[in-house]
Amino acid sequence: MIVLLATQKPFAPAAVQGIREIVEAAGHTLALLEKYPGEDELKAAVADADALIVRSDKVTAAVLDAAPKLKIVVRAGAGFDNLDLPACTAHGVVAMNTPGQNSNAVAELALGLMIYMARTQFTPATGSELLGKRLGVQAYGNVGRLVGQKAAALGMKICALDPFLSDEQIQAAGAEPVHSVEELYASSDYLSIHIPALPETIGSIGYKLISSMPKGATLVNTARKEVIDEQGLAQALEERADLKYVADVAPDCYGQLREKFGERVFATPKKMGAQTAEANVNAGLAAARQIVGFFETGCTKFKLN
Ligand code: NAD
Protein backbone atom coordinates (compact mmCIF):
# COMPACT_ATOMS: atom_id res chain seq x y z
CA MET A 1 0.00 0.00 0.00
CA ILE A 2 1.14 3.55 -0.61
CA VAL A 3 0.85 5.83 2.41
CA LEU A 4 1.09 9.49 1.46
CA LEU A 5 2.30 11.92 4.12
CA ALA A 6 1.07 15.30 2.87
CA THR A 7 2.02 18.24 5.06
CA GLN A 8 2.08 21.85 3.95
CA LYS A 9 3.63 22.52 7.35
CA PRO A 10 6.08 19.59 7.54
CA PHE A 11 6.73 17.38 10.53
CA ALA A 12 10.16 17.53 12.13
CA PRO A 13 12.63 15.14 10.39
CA ALA A 14 12.65 12.82 13.44
CA ALA A 15 8.87 12.41 13.17
CA VAL A 16 9.05 11.71 9.41
CA GLN A 17 11.74 9.11 10.05
CA GLY A 18 9.61 7.44 12.72
CA ILE A 19 6.57 7.40 10.44
CA ARG A 20 8.66 5.91 7.63
CA GLU A 21 9.96 3.13 9.91
CA ILE A 22 6.45 2.14 11.05
CA VAL A 23 5.02 2.19 7.51
CA GLU A 24 7.93 0.29 5.93
CA ALA A 25 8.16 -2.27 8.74
CA ALA A 26 4.57 -3.21 7.88
CA GLY A 27 5.49 -3.67 4.22
CA HIS A 28 4.00 -0.44 2.89
CA THR A 29 5.63 2.44 1.00
CA LEU A 30 5.80 6.01 2.29
CA ALA A 31 5.37 8.85 -0.22
CA LEU A 32 6.15 12.37 0.91
CA LEU A 33 4.62 15.70 -0.13
CA GLU A 34 5.84 18.60 1.98
CA LYS A 35 5.50 22.39 1.77
CA TYR A 36 3.33 22.07 -1.33
CA PRO A 37 1.82 25.27 -2.72
CA GLY A 38 -1.85 24.28 -3.02
CA GLU A 39 -4.63 21.79 -3.62
CA ASP A 40 -3.53 20.98 -7.19
CA GLU A 41 -0.29 19.44 -5.93
CA LEU A 42 -2.17 17.48 -3.28
CA LYS A 43 -4.65 16.23 -5.89
CA ALA A 44 -1.79 15.00 -8.08
CA ALA A 45 -0.04 13.30 -5.16
CA VAL A 46 -3.12 11.41 -3.90
CA ALA A 47 -3.75 9.75 -7.27
CA ASP A 48 -1.90 6.58 -6.20
CA ALA A 49 -2.35 6.77 -2.44
CA ASP A 50 -4.11 4.04 -0.47
CA ALA A 51 -3.74 5.97 2.80
CA LEU A 52 -3.19 9.63 3.63
CA ILE A 53 -1.71 11.35 6.68
CA VAL A 54 -2.26 15.10 6.98
CA ARG A 55 -1.83 17.82 9.60
CA SER A 56 -3.93 20.98 9.01
CA ASP A 57 -4.07 20.22 5.27
CA LYS A 58 -7.60 20.42 3.87
CA VAL A 59 -9.05 17.15 2.62
CA THR A 60 -11.92 18.33 0.44
CA ALA A 61 -14.34 16.52 -1.85
CA ALA A 62 -12.11 17.58 -4.78
CA VAL A 63 -9.05 15.97 -3.15
CA LEU A 64 -11.06 12.79 -2.53
CA ASP A 65 -12.29 12.78 -6.16
CA ALA A 66 -8.64 12.74 -7.20
CA ALA A 67 -7.84 9.76 -4.94
CA PRO A 68 -9.60 6.70 -6.39
CA LYS A 69 -7.58 4.18 -4.32
CA LEU A 70 -7.80 6.02 -0.99
CA LYS A 71 -9.18 3.93 1.89
CA ILE A 72 -8.17 5.90 4.98
CA VAL A 73 -7.17 9.44 5.91
CA VAL A 74 -5.70 10.25 9.31
CA ARG A 75 -5.43 13.77 10.66
CA ALA A 76 -2.29 13.72 12.83
CA GLY A 77 -3.75 15.89 15.58
CA ALA A 78 -6.94 16.43 17.54
CA GLY A 79 -9.07 18.99 15.65
CA PHE A 80 -10.43 17.57 12.40
CA ASP A 81 -12.29 20.54 10.94
CA ASN A 82 -9.92 20.32 7.94
CA LEU A 83 -11.46 16.96 6.91
CA ASP A 84 -14.70 16.99 4.92
CA LEU A 85 -16.26 14.06 6.79
CA PRO A 86 -19.45 13.71 4.72
CA ALA A 87 -17.28 13.66 1.56
CA CYS A 88 -15.01 11.01 3.14
CA THR A 89 -18.05 8.88 3.88
CA ALA A 90 -19.44 9.39 0.37
CA HIS A 91 -16.09 8.25 -1.07
CA GLY A 92 -15.93 5.21 1.23
CA VAL A 93 -12.88 6.62 3.00
CA VAL A 94 -12.41 6.07 6.74
CA ALA A 95 -11.38 9.30 8.51
CA MET A 96 -9.55 9.30 11.83
CA ASN A 97 -7.75 11.75 14.12
CA THR A 98 -5.13 11.01 16.77
CA PRO A 99 -6.72 12.36 19.96
CA GLY A 100 -4.55 12.98 22.99
CA GLN A 101 -1.22 12.93 21.19
CA ASN A 102 -0.59 16.67 21.31
CA SER A 103 -2.69 17.53 24.35
CA ASN A 104 0.19 18.16 26.70
CA ALA A 105 1.77 20.65 24.31
CA VAL A 106 -1.48 22.59 23.98
CA ALA A 107 -2.14 22.48 27.73
CA GLU A 108 1.32 23.83 28.52
CA LEU A 109 0.78 26.65 26.02
CA ALA A 110 -2.60 27.53 27.57
CA LEU A 111 -0.93 27.82 30.98
CA GLY A 112 1.91 29.85 29.45
CA LEU A 113 -0.57 32.25 27.87
CA MET A 114 -2.35 32.71 31.20
CA ILE A 115 0.90 33.56 32.94
CA TYR A 116 1.92 35.84 30.07
CA MET A 117 -1.29 37.84 30.44
CA ALA A 118 -1.23 37.80 34.25
CA ARG A 119 2.31 39.21 34.13
CA THR A 120 1.32 42.00 31.72
CA GLN A 121 2.99 40.39 28.69
CA PHE A 122 6.34 40.52 30.49
CA THR A 123 6.36 44.31 30.66
CA PRO A 124 7.52 45.93 33.91
CA ALA A 125 3.93 46.81 34.92
CA THR A 126 2.54 45.20 38.09
CA GLY A 127 0.91 41.88 37.29
CA SER A 128 -1.20 39.40 39.22
CA GLU A 129 -0.91 35.75 40.25
CA LEU A 130 -2.86 32.66 39.25
CA LEU A 131 -2.88 31.29 42.81
CA GLY A 132 -6.41 31.25 44.20
CA LYS A 133 -8.06 32.35 40.95
CA ARG A 134 -10.95 30.40 39.53
CA LEU A 135 -10.32 28.67 36.21
CA GLY A 136 -13.28 27.59 34.11
CA VAL A 137 -12.50 24.91 31.55
CA GLN A 138 -14.94 24.73 28.66
CA ALA A 139 -14.78 21.10 27.46
CA TYR A 140 -12.98 18.65 29.71
CA GLY A 141 -11.46 16.42 27.03
CA ASN A 142 -7.82 15.52 26.53
CA VAL A 143 -6.51 19.11 26.52
CA GLY A 144 -9.02 20.60 28.97
CA ARG A 145 -8.30 17.96 31.59
CA LEU A 146 -4.54 18.53 31.42
CA VAL A 147 -5.05 22.29 31.68
CA GLY A 148 -7.24 21.74 34.76
CA GLN A 149 -4.80 19.40 36.43
CA LYS A 150 -1.75 21.58 35.75
CA ALA A 151 -3.59 24.73 36.86
CA ALA A 152 -4.66 22.99 40.07
CA ALA A 153 -0.98 22.41 40.81
CA LEU A 154 -0.53 26.20 40.58
CA GLY A 155 -3.23 26.66 43.21
CA MET A 156 -6.11 27.61 40.92
CA LYS A 157 -9.67 26.47 41.66
CA ILE A 158 -10.89 24.40 38.73
CA CYS A 159 -14.43 24.10 37.42
CA ALA A 160 -15.39 22.49 34.13
CA LEU A 161 -18.29 22.19 31.73
CA ASP A 162 -18.60 19.22 29.42
CA PRO A 163 -22.08 18.05 28.43
CA PHE A 164 -20.72 14.67 27.31
CA LEU A 165 -19.17 13.79 30.68
CA SER A 166 -20.89 12.90 33.95
CA ASP A 167 -20.30 14.90 37.13
CA GLU A 168 -18.42 11.89 38.49
CA GLN A 169 -16.07 11.82 35.49
CA ILE A 170 -15.35 15.54 35.82
CA GLN A 171 -14.79 15.26 39.58
CA ALA A 172 -12.55 12.23 39.15
CA ALA A 173 -10.43 14.31 36.76
CA GLY A 174 -10.02 17.04 39.36
CA ALA A 175 -12.65 19.68 38.59
CA GLU A 176 -15.92 20.89 40.04
CA PRO A 177 -18.66 20.26 37.44
CA VAL A 178 -20.61 23.26 36.15
CA HIS A 179 -23.84 22.69 34.25
CA SER A 180 -24.34 25.74 32.10
CA VAL A 181 -22.07 27.77 29.91
CA GLU A 182 -23.58 30.93 31.44
CA GLU A 183 -22.57 29.84 34.95
CA LEU A 184 -19.09 28.87 33.75
CA TYR A 185 -18.37 32.25 32.17
CA ALA A 186 -19.96 34.30 34.95
CA SER A 187 -17.83 32.61 37.60
CA SER A 188 -14.40 32.23 35.97
CA ASP A 189 -11.45 34.61 36.46
CA TYR A 190 -9.75 32.64 33.69
CA LEU A 191 -11.75 30.76 31.10
CA SER A 192 -9.90 28.25 28.94
CA ILE A 193 -11.74 27.18 25.78
CA HIS A 194 -11.31 23.59 24.53
CA ILE A 195 -14.50 22.90 22.58
CA PRO A 196 -14.14 21.46 19.09
CA ALA A 197 -15.18 23.61 16.12
CA LEU A 198 -18.52 22.11 15.11
CA PRO A 199 -21.59 23.68 13.49
CA GLU A 200 -23.14 24.03 16.95
CA THR A 201 -20.04 25.58 18.58
CA ILE A 202 -18.89 27.93 15.79
CA GLY A 203 -19.58 31.54 16.79
CA SER A 204 -21.04 30.33 20.09
CA ILE A 205 -18.85 32.49 22.36
CA GLY A 206 -19.90 36.08 21.99
CA TYR A 207 -20.81 39.32 23.72
CA LYS A 208 -23.26 37.89 26.24
CA LEU A 209 -20.92 35.26 27.64
CA ILE A 210 -17.73 37.30 27.49
CA SER A 211 -19.22 40.39 29.08
CA SER A 212 -20.63 38.26 31.91
CA MET A 213 -17.13 37.33 33.10
CA PRO A 214 -15.96 38.64 36.51
CA LYS A 215 -13.92 41.82 36.87
CA GLY A 216 -10.39 41.46 35.50
CA ALA A 217 -11.15 38.15 33.77
CA THR A 218 -9.06 36.65 30.96
CA LEU A 219 -10.46 34.53 28.14
CA VAL A 220 -7.93 32.01 26.82
CA ASN A 221 -8.56 30.34 23.46
CA THR A 222 -6.29 27.54 22.32
CA ALA A 223 -9.16 25.84 20.45
CA ARG A 224 -10.23 27.34 17.11
CA LYS A 225 -10.77 31.01 16.26
CA GLU A 226 -14.11 30.09 14.64
CA VAL A 227 -15.77 29.33 17.99
CA ILE A 228 -15.56 33.04 18.85
CA ASP A 229 -18.08 35.59 17.61
CA GLU A 230 -15.46 38.26 16.91
CA GLN A 231 -17.90 41.17 16.81
CA GLY A 232 -19.21 40.16 20.21
CA LEU A 233 -15.67 39.84 21.54
CA ALA A 234 -14.79 43.34 20.29
CA GLN A 235 -17.94 44.80 21.83
CA ALA A 236 -17.27 43.17 25.20
CA LEU A 237 -13.66 44.42 25.21
CA GLU A 238 -14.90 47.90 24.27
CA GLU A 239 -17.38 48.04 27.13
CA ARG A 240 -15.22 46.33 29.73
CA ALA A 241 -11.73 47.83 30.01
CA ASP A 242 -10.81 45.13 32.55
CA LEU A 243 -11.28 42.11 30.26
CA LYS A 244 -8.45 40.39 28.36
CA TYR A 245 -8.35 37.95 25.45
CA VAL A 246 -5.45 35.69 24.59
CA ALA A 247 -5.41 33.12 21.80
CA ASP A 248 -3.27 30.59 20.02
CA VAL A 249 -5.05 31.39 16.79
CA ALA A 250 -5.33 35.09 15.95
CA PRO A 251 -8.85 36.30 15.31
CA ASP A 252 -9.50 37.69 11.82
CA CYS A 253 -9.85 41.15 13.37
CA TYR A 254 -6.62 40.85 15.40
CA GLY A 255 -5.07 44.02 13.92
CA GLN A 256 -8.10 46.11 14.88
CA LEU A 257 -8.29 44.57 18.35
CA ARG A 258 -4.61 45.30 19.03
CA GLU A 259 -5.00 48.83 17.76
CA LYS A 260 -8.01 49.47 19.98
CA PHE A 261 -7.22 47.44 23.06
CA GLY A 262 -3.42 47.16 23.00
CA GLU A 263 -1.97 44.64 25.39
CA ARG A 264 -5.36 43.49 26.66
CA VAL A 265 -5.32 41.26 23.57
CA PHE A 266 -2.61 38.88 22.44
CA ALA A 267 -2.39 36.10 19.86
CA THR A 268 0.54 33.90 18.93
CA PRO A 269 1.98 34.79 15.51
CA LYS A 270 0.85 31.41 14.15
CA LYS A 271 -0.94 28.42 15.60
CA MET A 272 1.68 26.84 17.83
CA GLY A 273 -0.22 24.85 20.47
CA ALA A 274 0.84 21.48 19.10
CA GLN A 275 4.11 22.73 17.70
CA THR A 276 6.56 20.90 19.95
CA ALA A 277 9.06 18.24 18.96
CA GLU A 278 7.32 15.79 21.28
CA ALA A 279 3.80 16.43 19.96
CA ASN A 280 5.02 16.21 16.36
CA VAL A 281 6.48 12.79 16.99
CA ASN A 282 3.54 11.54 19.09
CA ALA A 283 0.84 12.53 16.58
CA GLY A 284 2.79 11.46 13.49
CA LEU A 285 3.68 8.04 14.86
CA ALA A 286 0.15 7.48 16.13
CA ALA A 287 -1.22 8.27 12.65
CA ALA A 288 1.19 5.77 11.06
CA ARG A 289 0.30 3.08 13.62
CA GLN A 290 -3.43 3.64 13.11
CA ILE A 291 -3.01 3.17 9.33
CA VAL A 292 -0.93 0.01 9.77
CA GLY A 293 -3.52 -1.35 12.23
CA PHE A 294 -6.36 -0.52 9.86
CA PHE A 295 -4.74 -2.45 6.99
CA GLU A 296 -3.63 -5.36 9.21
CA THR A 297 -6.67 -5.94 11.39
CA GLY A 298 -9.35 -3.55 10.18
CA CYS A 299 -9.06 -1.58 13.42
CA THR A 300 -11.15 1.60 13.23
CA LYS A 301 -10.53 3.03 16.70
CA PHE A 302 -10.66 6.85 16.43
CA LYS A 303 -12.87 6.65 13.32
CA LEU A 304 -14.70 9.95 12.87
CA ASN A 305 -17.23 9.08 10.15
P1 NAD B 1 -11.06 16.00 22.76
O1 NAD B 1 -11.84 15.39 21.67
O2 NAD B 1 -10.19 15.16 23.60
O3 NAD B 1 -12.05 16.77 23.75
C1 NAD B 1 -13.08 17.59 23.32
C2 NAD B 1 -14.11 17.65 24.43
O4 NAD B 1 -15.08 18.59 24.05
C3 NAD B 1 -14.83 16.33 24.71
O5 NAD B 1 -14.68 15.98 26.07
C4 NAD B 1 -16.30 16.67 24.39
O6 NAD B 1 -17.17 16.01 25.26
C5 NAD B 1 -16.31 18.16 24.61
N1 NAD B 1 -17.36 18.92 23.95
C6 NAD B 1 -17.84 18.76 22.70
N2 NAD B 1 -18.78 19.70 22.46
C7 NAD B 1 -18.84 20.47 23.58
C8 NAD B 1 -19.62 21.60 23.95
N3 NAD B 1 -20.50 22.13 23.12
N4 NAD B 1 -19.41 22.14 25.19
C9 NAD B 1 -18.51 21.63 26.04
N5 NAD B 1 -17.78 20.54 25.75
C10 NAD B 1 -17.94 19.98 24.53
O7 NAD B 1 -10.23 17.17 22.07
P2 NAD B 1 -8.93 17.88 22.65
O8 NAD B 1 -7.72 17.10 22.26
O9 NAD B 1 -9.13 18.22 24.08
O10 NAD B 1 -8.91 19.21 21.75
C11 NAD B 1 -9.94 20.17 21.90
C12 NAD B 1 -9.87 21.16 20.75
O11 NAD B 1 -8.66 21.90 20.85
C13 NAD B 1 -9.78 20.50 19.35
O12 NAD B 1 -11.06 20.24 18.81
C14 NAD B 1 -9.03 21.52 18.54
O13 NAD B 1 -9.95 22.42 17.93
C15 NAD B 1 -8.21 22.29 19.57
N6 NAD B 1 -6.78 22.00 19.45
C16 NAD B 1 -5.94 23.04 19.21
C17 NAD B 1 -4.60 22.82 19.08
C18 NAD B 1 -3.67 23.95 18.86
O14 NAD B 1 -2.62 23.74 18.23
N7 NAD B 1 -3.95 25.13 19.37
C19 NAD B 1 -4.10 21.51 19.16
C20 NAD B 1 -4.96 20.47 19.47
C21 NAD B 1 -6.31 20.73 19.61
Side-chain angles (χ1 to χ4, degrees):
M1 300 283 181
I2 296 178
V3 179
L4 173 66
L5 175 59
T7 50
Q8 264 179 326
K9 194 169 77 175
F11 278 116
V16 177
Q17 183 53 29
I19 292 168
R20 184 180 297 285
E21 283 167 14
I22 292 168
V23 167
E24 290 180 353
H28 308 303
T29 303
L30 186 75
L32 206 54
L33 176 71
E34 292 183 326
K35 291 187 192 168
Y36 58 93
E39 191 172 270
D40 285 348
E41 288 71 20
L42 180 57
K43 277 158 61 178
V46 292
D48 296 327
D50 298 283
L52 175 62
I53 300 174
V54 293
R55 299 186 76 193
S56 297
D57 312 73
K58 287 198 167 59
V59 180
T60 61
V63 170
L64 294 161
D65 283 342
K69 295 164 73 183
L70 196 66
K71 294 155 195 74
I72 176 168
V73 55
V74 182
R75 147 73 165 136
F80 49 85
D81 40 327
N82 55 319
L83 306 183
D84 183 336
L85 293 182
C88 287
T89 305
H91 284 77
V93 171
V94 169
M96 296 185 189
N97 64 346
T98 62
Q101 299 295 334
N102 55 21
S103 314
N104 189 66
V106 184
E108 287 188 10
L109 183 73
L111 263 296
L113 293 175
M114 283 182 220
I115 293 174
Y116 189 55
M117 295 307 273
R119 304 309 288 265
T120 63
Q121 296 188 29
F122 300 162
T123 61
T126 302
S128 59
E129 299 180 20
L130 300 186
L131 179 72
K133 303 292 189 306
R134 192 166 155 100
L135 170 66
V137 185
Q138 188 179 10
Y140 218 48
N142 284 292
V143 179
R145 226 168 296 161
L146 284 171
V147 169
Q149 288 162 359
K150 289 172 195 295
L154 297 176
M156 299 185 85
K157 298 174 207 149
I158 317 303
C159 53
L161 172 79
D162 195 312
F164 300 98
L165 297 177
S166 66
D167 284 4
E168 291 71 28
Q169 285 171 310
I170 291 177
Q171 279 158 345
E176 172 199 329
V178 166
H179 301 107
S180 79
V181 71
E182 288 79 15
E183 185 190 345
L184 190 76
Y185 275 73
S187 63
S188 297
D189 302 307
Y190 287 82
L191 193 304
S192 199
I193 303 171
H194 302 290
I195 47 174
L198 299 170
E200 59 272 27
T201 60
I202 287 173
S204 64
I205 300 161
Y207 173 77
K208 219 170 144 206
L209 288 177
I210 300 168
S211 60
S212 77
M213 294 180 77
K215 191 166 167 37
T218 300
L219 183 59
V220 184
N221 182 12
T222 56
R224 289 284 187 269
K225 68 175 179 182
E226 289 81 4
V227 300
I228 303 283
D229 161 12
E230 294 191 8
Q231 251 189 319
L233 169 68
Q235 193 187 340
L237 290 168
E238 176 88 54
E239 288 179 15
R240 291 271 310 274
D242 58 304
L243 292 181
K244 295 179 190 163
Y245 180 68
V246 61
D248 185 29
V249 195
D252 292 334
C253 63
Y254 185 47
Q256 291 152 265
L257 294 182
R258 279 292 283 195
E259 206 174 292
K260 263 191 153 170
F261 308 116
E263 286 169 0
R264 289 168 51 209
V265 178
F266 176 77
T268 51
K270 66 178 184 103
K271 185 153 84 78
M272 54 179 284
Q275 199 60 22
T276 65
E278 293 88 342
N280 255 251
V281 171
N282 292 346
L285 299 198
R289 285 194 197 102
Q290 286 171 216
I291 285 172
V292 167
F294 174 76
F295 286 133
E296 272 176 9
T297 66
C299 176
T300 51
K301 195 175 173 194
F302 306 127
K303 186 171 182 267
L304 299 165
N305 60 337

